Each structure stands twice: as structure tokens, then as C-alpha cells.
Amino acid sequence: MLILGGCASNSVVNLSHYDEARPQFNLMEAEGVVGVIHEATFPVGNVDEAYGLRQDTALADGLLWGAYHFADGTDPVRQADHFLETVEARWRSGVATRKSAGVLLVLDFEQNDHYPGGTMRPEQAVAFIERIHERTGKYPGLYTNEHRVERVIDGPNVDPAVKRALSRCWLWIANYHYKPRHTEPWPSWSLWQYTGDGTCDLPRSAYPTRVANLRNVERNIFPGSKGAARSFWREHAWKPRG
């Protein structure tokens, strides 16, 4: 009963500088991956050094591209601006960007235990996403795990206006144990991260934890076909100037 069925596609991989092996994006594409979402920025004010080169290689190998910012508890508008400036600069200097769909933007809204700056609060997340929308015309995706959706975003003490604002994003939810069930205030999820760093309680035959030359990679399911995933990407992506 865990299988989502033939309509779902295990088609998105996310990466960061912690993935030290050089990804073979051409093999990912051959295995049915349609897109990669890569960390671009992280606390406080840092840029992922692997981002730019991997962007160019992934796009050249036919994959769609996305970028995420790992949030902290400092000024959310400054974080949003730094994120967009980084993504735009790397995009404009890239060699394979002109014909692509753009960059799928994501706010990584999770507990921050290993970077300085503390953890972003829900109202700060609202300020971040509204700044992204103001500058790009697009609401980013919001990544978090199901526990934080239930306890932090949909908790009884969270202002309903904050919940409504965050629900303007599309939801990328993590659960390594079972298909996510609590998605309120979203009606459903758009991406489900079912494994990370090799952690996955689901059957490996249907839910692999590796792709191409990478083991213990973070893999994600889109609740539709690969073609639908590409359409979703093109609808929500931002195409920087230049």
C-alpha cells in the first residue's frame, strides 16, 4: 500500500556540497531523473561552492535545475536577497542556461542545528517567500519534514495568516518512513523526499537510495508522470535576467 502507482515519478534528486562525489548527470537522465535541486546558499551568508559547476553540467546533460536556500534565524529579507543574487549571478555566467526552463526556487525551512544563525521562525519564512515573490513573480517551494509541518507550521499557536501565506508556496515534504499524511495547510505535497543519507524504511526495490554513481543520495517522488513533472517545473521556475 506504500506504492504510489504508475502515475508517480521518482524523478528528482537534491544535492549539496556535502555530496562530495562528482555526480554523473548524464547517467541520472538515462535513469529517468528529470531535475536536480541543489543547495545554493546556507548560513550565514555562504555560497555552496559546488553549485555553479554542477548547474552547468546538469543543464548540459538535459536535466532541469533548481536551487534551495538553507534558512536560519537572521534577517529573512537579507537571506532572500543573498539567495537570489547568488542564483542570478551563477545563471548569467553559465554556459547552458539560455534554452532551459529556469531555476526552481526553494526555501529549506528546517531545524538549524549545525550552522550559526539559529532556526527560522514561521513568520520569518513568510517574509522570505514574499521577498522572493516580490523580486521574481514566483513563490518558492517550501521544504521541511512532516513533523515540522504538523508541529511548527500547522501548530495551534501559529497565526492563521502565517499559515495562509506559507500555503502560497508548493510543498516539498520529507518523510523517510511512510507516505506523508499531514500536509495542512496544503491540500497535498508536490515533492516527497523519501530518503536521505541512506535512511529509508521503505522497500528498496520500489524506493532506491542511489542514482547513477551516487549512493545514499536524497531522492524525491513527484505525484505525476515525468512529463507532468517537467510541466510543473516550467510553471514554477524563475528565469533570471541575462
Side-chain angles (χ1 to χ4, degrees):
M1 66 179 179
L2 293 172
I3 306 300
L4 290 174
C7 65
S9 59
N10 191 339
S11 57
V12 177
V13 172
N14 59 287
L15 300 170
S16 76
H17 60 284
Y18 287 113
D19 299 289
E20 295 180 351
R22 182 176 181 179
Q24 293 180 294
F25 293 117
N26 60 325
L27 296 182
M28 288 188 192
E29 197 274 337
E31 292 179 17
V33 171
V34 301
V36 173
I37 305 175
H38 201 288
E39 179 185 68
T41 49
F42 60 95
V44 173
N46 286 300
V47 175
D48 189 317
E49 69 274 7
Y51 178 84
L53 177 60
R54 288 178 177 174
Q55 169 192 269
D56 291 347
T57 307
L59 290 171
D61 285 336
L63 295 173
L64 298 170
W65 188 250
Y68 72 85
H69 168 68
F70 191 105
D72 66 70
T74 65
D75 184 340
V77 173
R78 178 174 291 182
Q79 290 182 64
D81 286 342
H82 174 59
F83 176 51
L84 290 179
E85 287 158 9
T86 299
V87 170
E88 184 169 27
R90 300 305 188 271
W91 187 264
R92 295 177 67 181
S93 65
V95 296
T97 58
R98 290 190 178 183
K99 295 182 179 179
S100 76
V103 187
L104 196 66
L105 303 173
V106 178
L107 170 62
D108 187 343
F109 180 72
E110 57 183 295
Q111 184 74 28
N112 177 22
D113 294 324
H114 56 283
Y115 292 123
T119 298
M120 179 177 276
R121 302 186 305 276
E123 59 271 22
Q124 291 179 306
V126 171
F128 182 98
I129 67 159
E130 292 296 349
R131 180 62 166 176
I132 296 293
H133 182 259
E134 175 188 347
R135 290 190 55 179
T136 69
K138 303 285 186 177
Y139 279 106
L142 189 143
Y143 168 88
T144 193
N145 61 61
E146 186 173 358
H147 178 78
R148 281 178 63 79
V149 170
E150 183 175 7
R151 304 290 182 179
V152 178
I153 296 175
D154 196 43
N157 297 323
V158 179
D159 187 334
V162 169
K163 297 181 186 181
R164 288 194 299 271
L166 293 178
S167 69
R168 298 183 184 120
C169 300
W170 52 271
L171 177 62
W172 180 9
I173 192 167
N175 189 316
Y176 300 163
H177 312 293
Y178 50 81
K179 179 181 174 182
R181 296 183 288 229
H182 191 113
T183 62
E184 292 83 0
W186 291 268
S188 61
W189 48 267
S190 297
L191 278 181
W192 167 26
Q193 186 188 87
Y194 69 84
T195 183
D197 299 324
T199 303
C200 180
D201 292 339
L202 301 164
R204 299 300 172 87
S205 58
Y207 298 89
T209 60
R210 62 177 300 164
V211 65
N213 64 314
L214 302 180
R215 296 187 177 186
N216 300 333
V217 73
E218 294 180 337
R219 296 199 61 163
N220 305 271
I221 288 174
F222 178 82
S225 68
K226 291 180 176 65
R230 292 186 184 96
S231 296
F232 173 87
W233 211 287
R234 292 180 184 278
E235 176 185 355
H236 292 280
W238 172 51
K239 197 158 188 177
R241 300 184 301 273

